[in-house]
Amino acid sequence: MTDDSPLVLVCLRNAAGELDGCLASLDRDLSPRDEIGLVGDASIDPQILALVARWREGTRLRVGEYFHDAEAGPVAACNAALQTLGERDAVLLHPAMRGTHGWLPRLRRAAADPRLATLSPWSNDAEFLSYPRFCEANPPPERPDEIAEAAAAWPEAADVELPGAAGVAMFLRGRAVRQLGGLDAESFSSLTGALGDFSRRAAAMGWRNGFCPGVFAVNATGAATGASGEDLQRLMVRWPEFQEQVARFVMDDPMRVWRDRLSARIAELGQQGPQRDLFGPSP
């Protein structure tokens, strides 16, 4: 496995059904060339570890483990894993994530702009990246691959600057992680809070926090991916303009044009009927 291929890091938590679905999704959607890293700490339940062991025996994917010996928390565990990668890129996954056909190569292609520190795709439940309803917890779609097929019409990152990385799947640039020192596990307890802080530090250093219109990542369980109240307070103190930036982004809603484009493309493909070659050749 070459270092130009991102490592997919699954951030474990004690929800066996959620994780089982995520791992099955990875088996379905990724290729044997792809590499998975399982991230956790000493708080991970033995039931989760047993599930992981059974999955590792049967998967065709390359799998590594990044486990903290102590109960360090998700931010410290993920940061420790990121620090082992040098400048290799990573994709962080919440275990509620369910992929769609071709999502990883499409995300990797969209991340071609070297200025991108983070890149976040569509989801049914991902704050300002939610589809079809903006900033709402939409239920998981019945046919997510049809949405993904439509989204694949836009292979490059959009010209939209996000306030921060969001959702159940996000690309992190290895060079940015190394330059910025990774996630701040000392100050933040939730990954969402730490990633919000990382995104603001990246923007302050000239990096971009981008949107990937070509990928749709399902939040299958409706799991909350927002920052804790304490982490939001820390973000407001450290980045006083952050709340205003988020509010302005929501009011201006630069995502509206993209939601309209995606809806139009879904309708267009629907008119072509079921006989079309779904997605064409694999990416």
Side-chain angles (χ1 to χ4, degrees):
M1 181 62 59
T2 60
D3 285 349
D4 61 355
S5 178
L7 177 64
V8 178
L9 293 174
V10 182
C11 305
L12 303 181
R13 64 181 199 154
N14 290 326
E18 183 181 73
L19 177 61
D20 192 35
C22 180
L23 298 179
S25 170
L26 296 178
D27 275 334
R28 183 188 68 239
D29 295 321
L30 301 190
S31 82
R33 300 185 303 273
D34 297 319
E35 187 174 0
I36 309 300
L38 303 173
V39 181
D41 66 4
S43 69
I44 298 300
D45 191 280
Q47 182 185 12
I48 299 295
L49 299 179
L51 188 160
V52 164
R54 290 193 300 271
W55 177 70
R56 291 196 64 172
E57 290 177 357
T59 186
R60 73 198 195 291
L61 302 174
R62 297 162 53 97
V63 184
E65 294 182 353
Y66 299 83
F67 286 177
H68 235 283
D69 292 336
E71 293 190 13
V75 180
C78 283
N79 192 52
L82 291 170
Q83 296 302 323
T84 69
L85 302 184
E87 294 191 352
R88 184 178 180 184
D89 301 331
V91 177
L92 291 188
L93 298 187
H94 189 290
M97 187 268 193
R98 305 291 183 268
T100 47
H101 180 90
W103 72 266
L104 182 57
R106 287 190 173 93
L107 186 63
R108 184 167 60 229
R109 177 177 177 180
D113 181 348
R115 299 172 299 164
L116 288 166
T118 71
L119 186 65
S120 306
W122 291 114
S123 180
N124 55 294
D125 186 357
E127 301 174 346
F128 34 77
L129 298 179
S130 293
Y131 179 87
R133 294 185 299 276
F134 183 54
C135 285
E136 291 190 28
N138 299 284
E142 294 183 2
R143 292 182 289 274
D145 277 326
E146 293 184 4
I147 301 176
E149 179 191 11
W154 298 283
E156 299 179 353
D159 187 20
V160 175
E161 191 68 23
L162 301 180
V168 291
M170 57 198 73
F171 173 92
L172 293 183
R173 180 78 63 195
R175 289 191 298 108
V177 171
R178 185 169 182 179
Q179 180 186 23
L180 300 172
L183 306 179
D184 184 354
E186 297 294 325
S187 302
F188 296 93
S189 61
S190 67
L191 274 172
T192 303
L195 287 163
D197 171 70
F198 177 84
S199 298
R200 298 324 307 155
R201 286 188 283 130
M205 293 295 292
W207 293 91
R208 293 188 57 216
N209 295 295
F211 162 54
C212 177
V215 172
F216 187 87
V218 179
N219 183 340
T221 67
T225 57
S228 67
E230 290 183 354
D231 280 357
L232 284 174
Q233 288 296 323
R234 292 188 181 98
L235 281 171
M236 296 305 106
V237 170
R238 183 172 291 182
W239 306 102
E241 75 286 359
F242 182 64
Q243 188 172 16
E244 181 182 349
Q245 289 173 335
V246 172
R248 188 184 308 118
F249 189 91
V250 171
M251 288 182 60
D252 293 345
D253 191 8
M255 299 301 300
R256 180 174 182 175
V257 64
W258 284 101
R259 292 194 305 277
D260 290 346
R261 289 171 180 171
L262 182 56
S263 294
R265 180 61 177 160
I266 291 171
E268 178 185 355
L269 292 176
Q271 292 175 354
Q272 296 177 15
Q275 300 304 315
R276 68 184 184 276
D277 181 12
L278 188 67
F279 291 104
S282 297

